[in-house]
């Protein structure tokens, strides 16, 4: 039964309920509008009813609610109620979306339907009438008001996200405006303002007010401009969909040279540049609220603004979005281990703000295929956040490009996180196992073992999962780990030969193991042989399998820079040979050195090219322009082992033009952000050091320790007489324990 005044969302909820109940129990459930009845009497042959929605007589005046009235709550909270009396059932949300979620909650959490992924649904066969009659009277509300995991599998499949009770559309609003949802699914939360543009320079468009990639935060004219611009935008939003909120946050990038007034304000409030930005946002928000009652802003604690200020509070109509990159270890929950300071800073914002949303990151931006062992970390973070009542929402930025189905097990993360965002008391291990069982069929035990093995290896090697620094050569992916995972994938494939969908899921998931093996096949086979193990890697067969998986996933690029899949295949095809130890490492215990070959280096794809080079130690090198400044190859200090101090060495050669001046600098190694002490933060090496055309070792002349603040060593050229630089490898030697 649906009230005749209900809109498309509630009518859709009733139709979804009738459809799935019919699939489950083999019973037809016709859907009637209340005006189809005569004097409220049920049609002949029916003795009980399921009432869906709030706009009907049974939700306001009937045995279903007389003794237990429906609660009145904030409609944005997505709450709903179940009521049952004498075989009749009422499912009524505070809002239409709440009713929709009540239906999906009943089907999923009570009756056992599961929407694991857009291509994987479980509909159990069971006597639904008996189960419905036993439905308990209860009111349900989610722990988090805003819930979204942004992945491409859900772009045009709005049903899947709603069925998993995820009410956010922030990423999709900016990326998929050309694919609007149908009216029956066009219902989203605006608790967290989710549109673009919203960066400071996009709101304050007068360039005379800009400074150091941000704006002059303390300038009254800047604030006046922001109020005028945002008032117009919020008014437009209210007219369009009733949303009184708007983003107003930092530009995505550095803030190296603040103006004097902003710098002084920062120093007076905890020496954090978040202070002047927050002061501006607070004033703008308060002035907007005076003009437009109910107006709200969202701003970000991110990059240079992540550290909370002292001596300040956040305006009540401002939501703080905490976004902990680049410093976060995404393999660890945000309140423990390496992330303890991140957790402390989030709690610092909680101490001064009444509304916080967490922006988490679920993928590796530079390599979509690399194993990214974060499957337990994000659910653990959500459980920690659930204990903090002022954290009202969670946004997980997953691998969101179209044509990447199955990449980095993003459906697993979205499904598990979605359930925890509604009910954080659920058990993480149980959820992951349940997903794997449905998604991988008979291959599930082997896939689950591989995931556990990768997670354990990351922990054993004390490896930090940086959003953009994980590569096919990451040190926790040694030959033993990859070979064991490869064997488990073989077993999973064999177990699913008669299960086509599960077999496809195994195939696409297996890319994360095939990828590093293809990139490093010669070295891995040699490492195994040195340990007395013969490993037939079967390069050609493995490449064919990976290419089949790429086609099945619809993958067209392997990183956020839109680099083609062919470029990856070209990198695989370089005739690499097993490497030899650098002379400085000979005789050292393995714990006292670490080597990064070309495939393990962090490099900008648009500025660098992996190439065959017979002079290189393993016949492969990274080539970058030596004539211009690129910073194309970088080594983050977070990539250093966490114990002791280390010396950093680069193996480099250069192409020189005829008559190149031997005294000019050919190679520059530098550190960014710059060091406070000593004052020198760049080291140059002259053309004369490259005159013989051979590779030479260049050492950064100081010791370094593992550091999570975002500092990194960069490699660049600046000499028009040096067409190319070639980096064979980077290696670390222990300076002290």
């Amino acid at each position: 039964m649906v009230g005749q005044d209900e809109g498309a969302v509630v009518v859709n909820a009733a139709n979804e309920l009738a459809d799935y109940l019919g699939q489950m129990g083999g019973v037809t459930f016709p859907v009637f509008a209340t005006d189809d009845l005569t004097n409220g009497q049920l049609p002949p042959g029916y003795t009980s009813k399921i009432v869906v929605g709030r706009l009907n007589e049974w939700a306001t005046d009937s045995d279903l609610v007389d003794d237990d009235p429906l609660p009145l709550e904030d409609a944005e909270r997505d709450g709903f109620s179940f009521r049952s009396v004498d075989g009749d059932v009422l499912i009524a949300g505070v809002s239409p979306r709440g009713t929709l979620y009540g239906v999906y909650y009943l089907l999923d959490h009570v009756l056992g339907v599961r929407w694991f992924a857009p291509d994987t649904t479980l509909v159990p066969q069971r006597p639904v009438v008996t189960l419905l009659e036993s439905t308990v009277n209860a009111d349900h509300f989610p722990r988090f008001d805003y819930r979204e995991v942004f992945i491409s599998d859900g772009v045009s499949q709005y049903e899947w996200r709603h069925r998993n009770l995820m009410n956010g559309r922030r990423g999709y609003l900016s990326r998929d405006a050309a694919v609007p949802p149908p009216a029956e699914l066009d219902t989203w939360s605006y608790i967290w303002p989710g549109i673009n543009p919203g960066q400071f320079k996009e709101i304050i468009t007068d360039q005379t007010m800009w400074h150091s990639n941000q704006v002059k935060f303390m300038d009254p004219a800047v604030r006046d401009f922001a109020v005028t611009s945002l008032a117009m935008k919020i008014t437009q939003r209210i007219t369009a969909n009733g949303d009184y909120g708007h983003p107003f946050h930092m530009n995505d990038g550095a803030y190296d040279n603040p103006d004097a007034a902003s710098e002084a304000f920062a120093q007076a409030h905890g020496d954090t540049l978040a202070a002047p930005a927050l002061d501006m946002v607070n004033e703008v928000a308060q002035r907007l609220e005076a003009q437009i009652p109910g107006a709200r802003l969202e701003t970000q604690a991110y990059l240079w603004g992540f550290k909370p200020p002292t001596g300040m509070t956040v305006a009540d109509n401002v939501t703080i979005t905490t976004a902990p990159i680049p410093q976060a270890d995404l393999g660890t929950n945000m309140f423990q281990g390496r992330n303890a300071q991140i957790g402390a800073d989030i709690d610092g914002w909680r101490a001064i703000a009444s509304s916080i949303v967490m922006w988490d990151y679920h993928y590796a931006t530079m390599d979509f295929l690399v194993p990214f062992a974060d499957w337990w970390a994000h659910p653990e973070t959500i459980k920690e956040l659930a204990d903090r009542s002022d954290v009202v929402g969670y946004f997980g930025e997953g691998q969101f490009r179209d044509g990447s189905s199955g990449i980095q097990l993003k459906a697993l993360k979205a499904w598990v996180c979605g359930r925890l965002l509604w009910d954080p008391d659920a058990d993480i291990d149980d959820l992951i196992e349940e997903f794997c069982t449905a998604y991988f069929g008979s291959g599930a035990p082997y896939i689950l073992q591989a995931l556990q093995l990768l997670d354990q290896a990351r922990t054993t090697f004390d490896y930090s999962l940086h959003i953009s620094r994980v590569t096919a050569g990451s040190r926790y992916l040694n030959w033993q780990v990859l070979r064991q995972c490869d064997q488990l994938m073989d077993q999973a494939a064999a177990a699913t030969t008669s299960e086509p969908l599960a077999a496809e899921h195994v195939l696409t998931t297996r890319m994360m193991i095939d990828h590093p093996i293809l990139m490093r096949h010669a070295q891995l086979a040699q490492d195994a042989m040195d340990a007395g193990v013969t490993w037939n890697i079967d390069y050609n067969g493995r490449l064919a399998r990976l290419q089949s998986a790429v086609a099945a996933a619809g993958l067209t690029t392997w990183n956020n820079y839109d680099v083609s899949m062919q470029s990856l295949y070209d990198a695989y095809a370089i005739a690499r040979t097993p490497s030899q130890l650098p002379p400085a490492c000979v005789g050292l215990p393995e714990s006292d050195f670490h080597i990064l070959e070309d495939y393990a280096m962090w490099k900008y794809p648009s500025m660098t090219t992996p190439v065959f080079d017979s002079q290189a130690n393993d016949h492969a090198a990274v080539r970058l322009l030596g004539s211009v400044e690129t910073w194309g190859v970088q080594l983050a200090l977070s990539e250093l082992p966490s114990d002791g101090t280390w010396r950093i060495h680069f193996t480099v050669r250069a192409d020189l033009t005829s008559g190149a001046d031997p005294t000019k600098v050919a190679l520059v190694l530098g550190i960014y952000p710059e060091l406070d002490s000593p004052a020198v933060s760049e080291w140059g090496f002259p053309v004369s050091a490259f005159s013989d055309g051979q590779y030479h070792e260049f050492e950064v002349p100081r010791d370094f320790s593992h550091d999570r603040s975002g500092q990194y060593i960069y490699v660049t050229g600046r000499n028009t007489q040096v067409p190319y630089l070639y980096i064979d490898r980077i290696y670390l030697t222990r300076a002290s324990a």
Side-chain angles (χ1 to χ4, degrees):
M1 298 304 312
V2 182
Q4 60 260 35
D5 296 325
E6 298 282 11
V9 172
V10 174
V11 172
N12 177 60
N15 289 331
E16 287 275 84
L17 181 60
D19 180 18
Y20 278 99
L21 291 179
Q23 291 183 51
M24 293 174 66
V27 178
T28 299
F29 286 81
V31 178
F32 290 96
T34 52
D35 58 354
D36 292 334
L37 304 183
T38 302
N39 298 322
Q41 299 299 309
L42 294 180
Y46 293 97
T47 60
S48 59
K49 57 187 172 293
I50 306 171
V51 182
V52 179
R54 204 174 187 114
L55 302 182
N56 58 75
E57 60 186 276
W58 297 285
T60 56
D61 183 19
S62 74
D63 291 344
L64 284 165
V65 295
D66 284 347
D67 296 330
D68 195 359
L70 299 178
L72 295 176
E73 286 274 347
D74 180 356
E76 282 292 290
R77 287 202 61 211
D78 296 340
F80 56 82
S81 300
F82 294 147
R83 298 288 185 268
S84 59
V85 175
D86 297 332
D88 289 338
V89 176
L90 170 67
I91 306 168
V94 177
S95 68
R97 189 172 64 249
T99 296
L100 181 69
Y101 288 174
V103 164
Y104 288 143
Y105 186 96
L106 175 67
L107 289 170
D108 184 339
H109 293 256
V110 178
L111 300 179
V113 177
R114 296 286 192 271
W115 296 280
F116 291 105
D119 66 353
T120 306
T121 298
L122 171 68
V123 181
Q125 302 302 300
R126 58 200 317 173
V128 297
V129 174
T130 302
L131 287 167
L132 285 171
E133 289 175 346
S134 64
T135 300
V136 297
N137 292 342
D139 301 320
H140 295 267
F141 295 93
R143 162 55 188 88
F144 293 91
D145 295 342
Y146 189 95
R147 307 171 302 282
E148 181 178 3
V149 180
F150 179 34
I151 63 172
S152 64
D153 296 50
V155 167
S156 59
Q157 301 190 46
Y158 298 101
E159 305 95 336
W160 181 65
R161 283 184 288 129
H162 277 317
R163 286 167 177 167
N164 284 293
L165 311 182
M166 287 189 280
N167 62 5
R169 196 187 169 209
R170 179 169 182 141
Y172 302 92
L173 272 172
S174 59
R175 209 178 74 81
D176 298 297
V179 190
E184 65 269 18
L185 295 171
D186 193 10
T187 174
W188 310 99
S189 172
Y190 296 116
I191 285 176
W192 189 48
I195 57 171
N196 287 318
Q199 297 184 15
F200 291 145
K201 292 198 303 186
E202 294 170 327
I203 302 301
I204 302 161
T205 55
D206 183 342
Q207 296 188 24
T208 66
M209 299 179 177
W210 297 0
H211 187 85
S212 187
N213 194 43
Q214 305 297 327
V215 297
K216 300 173 185 177
F217 293 119
M218 307 308 294
D219 187 338
V222 171
R223 301 180 180 203
D224 291 344
F225 194 108
V227 171
T228 300
S229 178
L230 284 165
M232 179 179 65
K233 292 178 182 295
I234 290 173
T235 299
Q236 292 170 345
R237 293 287 291 164
I238 294 170
T239 301
N241 57 23
D243 179 14
Y244 282 68
H246 205 284
F248 186 43
H249 55 73
M250 65 178 61
N251 299 292
D252 199 349
Y255 183 33
D256 296 331
N257 183 33
D259 62 275
S262 297
E263 176 68 23
F265 194 88
Q267 292 178 355
H269 294 85
D271 196 23
T272 171
L273 291 169
L278 176 61
D279 189 70
M280 178 186 71
V281 172
N282 273 346
E283 179 183 330
V284 170
Q286 290 164 344
R287 289 170 61 182
L288 284 169
E289 210 280 333
Q291 291 184 32
I292 308 171
R296 299 174 294 110
L297 294 180
E298 173 259 346
T299 199
Q300 295 177 356
Y302 173 51
L303 297 176
W304 49 265
F306 190 73
K307 179 183 176 183
T310 58
M312 300 180 69
T313 57
V314 179
D316 288 341
N317 63 331
V318 172
T319 295
I320 294 292
T321 300
T322 58
I325 61 167
Q327 66 271 42
D329 173 7
L330 299 179
T332 304
N333 106 44
M334 290 298 163
F335 293 86
Q336 294 181 3
R338 287 194 183 94
N339 293 332
Q341 184 57 52
I342 288 173
D345 285 340
I346 292 173
D347 286 338
W349 282 105
R350 290 179 50 242
I352 64 173
S354 60
S355 175
I356 289 177
V357 170
M358 175 72 173
W359 187 319
D360 206 352
Y361 301 84
H362 289 210
Y363 70 118
T365 61
M366 297 296 288
D367 191 339
F368 296 163
L369 302 186
V370 74
F372 203 66
D374 60 344
W375 307 291
W376 278 268
H378 304 298
E380 290 169 359
T381 292
I382 290 171
K383 281 183 171 287
E384 291 272 8
L385 293 169
D387 292 334
R388 293 156 167 82
S389 60
D390 33 26
V391 180
V392 300
Y394 179 91
F395 176 80
E397 182 181 319
Q399 211 303 78
F400 56 82
R401 290 170 178 265
D402 287 331
S404 57
S405 176
I407 297 301
Q408 294 187 353
L409 284 165
K410 57 186 180 179
L412 181 153
K413 288 181 279 191
W415 185 80
V416 171
C417 289
R419 296 186 84 78
L420 290 169
L421 289 170
W422 191 281
D423 177 15
D425 292 331
D427 184 85
I428 296 171
D429 289 331
D430 289 348
L431 291 175
I432 291 176
E433 183 175 358
E434 182 181 0
F435 179 93
C436 287
T437 299
Y439 196 72
F440 296 109
S442 299
Y446 311 107
I447 299 294
L448 189 55
Q449 287 181 61
L451 301 187
Q452 292 166 338
L453 178 60
L454 289 163
D455 187 61
Q456 290 163 5
R458 177 197 57 78
T459 302
T460 299
F461 281 84
D462 194 26
Y463 190 81
S464 177
L465 291 186
H466 187 282
I467 186 171
S468 66
R469 304 280 176 181
V470 180
T471 68
S474 297
R475 66 176 181 271
Y476 76 99
L477 302 175
N478 64 15
W479 75 268
Q480 295 98 327
V481 170
L482 289 174
R483 183 169 179 270
Q484 289 179 65
C485 287
D486 196 40
Q487 292 171 332
L488 289 166
M489 293 294 174
D490 277 340
Q491 292 174 281
T496 55
T497 53
S498 61
E499 303 169 22
L501 183 59
E504 181 176 312
H505 293 160
V506 171
L507 177 70
T508 54
T509 299
R510 189 170 188 170
M511 282 191 286
M512 70 180 180
I513 304 303
D514 284 338
H515 166 54
I517 293 174
L518 286 166
M519 190 71 81
R520 299 161 51 192
H521 63 96
Q523 186 65 56
L524 292 169
Q526 184 63 53
D527 290 344
M529 185 177 296
D530 290 344
V533 175
T534 300
W535 185 6
N536 178 16
I537 285 177
D538 182 19
Y539 174 88
N540 291 329
R542 191 178 298 273
L543 176 60
R545 179 172 62 224
L546 181 135
Q547 291 174 324
S548 295
V550 166
L555 198 62
T556 58
T557 181
W558 60 283
N559 58 38
N560 262 8
Y561 290 85
D562 293 320
V563 178
S564 71
M565 295 305 301
Q566 185 59 51
S567 73
L568 182 62
Y569 304 150
D570 291 343
Y572 292 158
I574 295 172
R576 294 177 177 84
T577 59
S579 63
Q580 304 297 315
L581 288 181
C585 300
V586 174
L588 295 178
E590 290 188 3
S591 60
D592 285 355
F593 67 88
H594 180 58
I595 301 171
L596 291 86
E597 298 290 354
D598 67 290
Y599 45 73
M601 298 177 199
W602 188 93
K603 46 196 177 291
Y604 272 113
S606 59
M607 301 175 182
T608 60
T609 306
V611 295
F612 174 82
D613 186 353
S614 61
Q615 296 186 63
N617 166 70
D618 66 346
H619 292 175
V622 175
R623 185 183 70 192
L624 68 157
L625 290 174
S627 56
V628 295
E629 185 153 357
T630 64
W631 296 23
V633 172
Q634 301 173 12
L635 174 70
L637 299 188
S638 61
E639 296 178 70
L640 273 57
S642 58
D643 58 326
T645 59
W646 299 83
R647 278 294 173 112
I648 302 174
H649 314 258
F650 293 80
T651 306
V652 187
R653 75 172 182 89
D655 287 343
L656 305 176
T657 61
S658 178
D661 185 341
T663 65
K664 288 189 175 181
V665 170
L667 168 70
V668 175
L669 303 178
I671 186 166
Y672 180 85
E674 296 178 355
L675 298 168
D676 294 328
S677 177
V680 176
S681 292
E682 279 196 344
W683 301 270
F685 302 90
V687 166
S688 60
F690 299 91
S691 59
D692 60 1
Q694 304 298 308
Y695 278 98
H696 294 277
E697 310 292 329
F698 299 92
E699 181 182 278
V700 182
R702 60 158 291 167
D703 298 342
F704 293 94
S705 301
H706 179 94
D707 189 281
R708 304 285 305 291
S709 65
Q711 281 189 313
Y712 55 86
I713 307 294
Y714 57 85
V715 183
T716 191
R718 296 176 183 150
N719 189 337
T720 57
Q721 296 177 318
V722 183
Y724 290 109
L725 293 168
Y726 298 83
I727 304 171
D728 179 9
R729 57 187 172 185
I730 305 170
Y731 65 94
L732 318 173
T733 55
R734 187 184 295 278
S736 64

